[in-house]
Structure formats: C-alpha cells, structure tokens
Amino acid sequence: MVKNQTAGTDSRQSSEIAALRRDLSFSYRLHIPQDAGSETLILLHGSAADETTLMPLAMAASPRARLVAVRGRIIQDGDLRWFRRITPTQFDQASIRTEAASFAHFIDELITLHKLEPASVAFIGYSNGANLVTSTMLLHPRAIRRAVLLRAMPVLDQVPDADLSDAHVLTISGTNDVTYAPFAPALARLLRRHHAEVEVRLVTAGHEFGAVDGNIISEWLDRQRFATST
C-alpha cells in the first residue's frame, strides 16, 4: 500500500536515483530492485517536471518492478514536455505525431536492448506524459498493451482506425481537476470505441497525484498479473 503523498518537484539532481542514460532515442533512468520480478513499468512524467517524479509512486505501487523513467524531449518555455502545446487544452498535432512515432521506436529499442518481455510491460503516464501514451496507442496500436493514465485527456484532432482490442487501460481523474477532468469521459469513450478494455476511476483531488492514486494502481496491476497468469 502507498502510504505517503508521492507528487513531487524536479529531483533530477538527486544522487540516490539511477543515472540518466542516453544510449537510446529518449534519455531514461533504469531502476532494477535487488529482488526484481518480471514486471517492467515505463514512466512518463508531466510538464514542468522530469523523469524522476513518478519513480516514488511506481516503487510503492510495484516494489519488485523494473522502472524505466523516460525524459520527454521537447523543451517549451523552459519545461520538459512530450510534445508542444498551443493552449492548456490545444496541442501541436505535428509534434504529437512525430514524438509518438519516435516513442514507439524507443519502446522497440528498449525491449531489445534490455531483453524485456512485452507481456510484462506496463506504462504509467501523468498529464502530458499520459497524453503521449494515449496518442502512441492510437497511432501505433501494437506498441502499448497496458497503460495507466493519470489526469489525461484526448489530444489528437484526427484519430486513425486503431484496433486496441488487446489493450488494458486504467484512467484516474481528479474530481477537482478543473482543466482535465471535464475531458476524462471523452477519453474513456474514445479508447472503448477502439475496443480497449478501460477501467475508469475518480479520486478526490485536483491535477496533482498522491497515495490514493498509488493504491489504485497497485490493485490494478495485481489484477493484471492475475489475469495474465490464468
């Protein structure tokens, strides 16, 4: 169970986390616990943060999982992002498609380099990072099969006819998230329309994430493991 608030600020200078690797098309940190199991969680941070901010949440939700904390490549107004935005709810469509294609390629690189088992990989994205996860799923349907989307919304103006029938998605929205929460039902409908299995959860929070989110994620991952093993 996740006991503490896990939302944080930029901690890229911490000496206690894995070193930043630049051997693939996206920079990332690889954390492997001493008693690591087969599960790998790939983490995509939100805007105005860095790749380390989701690591405490993921470590608490799945202590034995390998963590791949990836850094967004777009810098806008001095902040790390996954694609360029025009307004808080309007986004540069060419940037989305370019970065989603690059991220799908990165996933293939990562699985090959670190000999990961695709069936044991799940993605956790927050805000802008969650929106890239969703976009990658819709534009490159085979790339992502399990995803947790924290405070996400639809961002693609034109969605291809993607088949997500083998995808399992958990969305967690904050009831007090005035910017993103109104779009959460549309995101769930979009994913279901493309045949994804979607579990929708609401928490009493704003755009920030915390312990309640971590507990929901932990329970969902447990159910996913059980379903895979049966």
Side-chain angles (χ1 to χ4, degrees):
M1 178 176 289
V2 181
K3 297 181 180 179
N4 299 314
Q5 180 76 13
T6 53
T9 55
D10 189 330
S11 56
R12 72 189 70 185
Q13 300 302 324
S14 172
S15 61
E16 299 178 358
I17 59 176
L20 187 67
R21 299 178 59 135
R22 303 180 186 274
D23 52 350
L24 297 178
S25 51
F26 283 77
S27 299
Y28 65 102
R29 299 181 192 270
L30 177 63
H31 167 76
I32 304 178
Q34 289 186 349
D35 59 343
S38 60
E39 187 168 64
T40 300
L41 301 179
I42 299 178
L43 315 178
L44 288 80
H45 61 83
S47 302
D50 80 329
E51 69 283 352
T52 66
T53 54
L54 280 174
M55 293 181 77
L57 177 79
M59 288 177 182
S62 185
R64 297 184 61 211
R66 293 172 174 81
L67 304 183
V68 181
V70 192
R71 176 178 292 189
R73 305 191 303 181
I74 301 299
I75 299 177
Q76 186 175 16
D77 300 325
D79 294 331
L80 293 170
R81 292 182 54 81
W82 294 94
F83 49 83
R84 297 186 64 81
R85 78 175 187 179
I86 300 168
T87 73
T89 57
Q90 292 182 306
F91 306 94
D92 183 318
Q93 296 298 300
S95 181
I96 294 172
R97 289 175 179 272
T98 297
E99 292 307 297
S102 296
F103 190 69
H105 176 67
F106 167 78
I107 295 168
D108 288 339
E109 290 182 308
L110 186 74
I111 288 173
T112 300
L113 178 63
H114 295 290
K115 297 179 174 59
L116 304 179
E117 174 52 53
S120 298
V121 174
F123 294 74
I124 301 178
Y126 169 60
S127 190
N128 184 238
N131 295 341
L132 185 80
V133 171
T134 305
S135 299
T136 303
M137 293 179 72
L138 291 166
L139 294 169
H140 305 275
R142 296 289 181 182
I144 296 174
R145 299 178 184 175
R146 295 192 300 159
V148 176
L149 308 175
L150 297 166
R151 316 299 189 265
M153 65 171 288
V155 296
L156 286 170
D157 290 347
Q158 295 183 338
V159 180
D161 187 20
D163 180 7
L164 301 180
S165 55
D166 62 348
H168 302 267
V169 181
L170 168 67
T171 70
I172 310 179
S173 303
T175 56
N176 302 321
D177 185 352
V178 295
T179 301
Y180 272 28
F183 297 96
L187 176 63
R189 288 195 299 270
L190 173 65
L191 293 170
R192 285 170 175 157
R193 189 161 67 246
H194 290 273
H195 311 296
E197 178 186 280
V198 183
E199 179 176 334
V200 174
R201 300 293 296 271
L202 296 174
V203 296
T204 305
H207 197 62
E208 75 284 353
F209 62 85
V212 174
D213 298 277
N215 292 331
I216 293 171
I217 294 169
S218 181
E219 293 165 1
W220 184 81
L221 289 171
D222 283 344
R223 292 195 297 275
Q224 290 294 307
R225 293 185 205 104
F226 178 78
T228 301
S229 65
T230 57

